[in-house]
Amino acid sequence: MAEGQRLQRIGRSAKDPVKLRRAIVVLMSAQGQPAPDIAHLLKTSEDYVRDMIHAFNERGFDALDPNGAGAHRDGLMSRPATGSASSPGATPASSANRSPAGPCRSCVTT
């Protein structure tokens, strides 16, 4: 419950738009919103949403930080995109082939 309150506080007071967006993703996931709905509302990809949820589950609040040990470590933002110009002929990975991330484990109360 304390993590949910902390996420809400970040959502109200974050000056950095990247940190704000990441906090919103995690908070919406904790509230039970599916990744496709979150992606649609925030006009981002389902992969970004799932990656952010996984990063938060692994590293906690450090994953929200865009400049420090958060998102860039362990590949959240450093993974090469599929189908990019550097890999001609590659096809984008279908989100249907990925397992859903599910809600943020550390925010769900039992």
Side-chain angles (χ1 to χ4, degrees):
M1 181 193 280
E3 285 184 336
Q5 291 173 343
R6 184 173 172 190
L7 284 168
Q8 288 176 340
R9 192 171 352 118
I10 291 170
R12 287 190 301 267
S13 63
K15 302 286 189 242
D16 186 338
V18 175
K19 187 171 186 174
L20 174 63
R21 168 176 246 155
R22 291 176 181 178
I24 290 170
V25 166
V26 173
L27 189 57
M28 289 179 75
S29 173
Q31 293 171 345
Q33 292 288 328
D37 291 351
I38 297 170
H40 178 74
L41 288 169
L42 295 177
K43 297 185 180 355
T44 188
S45 72
E46 292 178 31
D47 288 338
Y48 173 83
V49 171
R50 287 185 179 100
D51 288 345
M52 191 63 245
I53 294 166
H54 289 299
F56 186 82
N57 285 335
E58 291 171 9
R59 295 189 302 276
F61 285 94
D62 284 344
L64 302 179
D65 184 15
N67 297 322
H72 297 288
R73 187 179 73 199
D74 296 334
L76 174 63
M77 303 307 272
S78 62
R79 186 176 333 135
T82 2
S84 66
S86 63
S87 56
T91 57
S94 168
S95 60
N97 294 333
R98 297 189 63 171
S99 63
C104 166
R105 287 189 301 256
S106 59
C107 294
V108 176
T109 57
T110 56

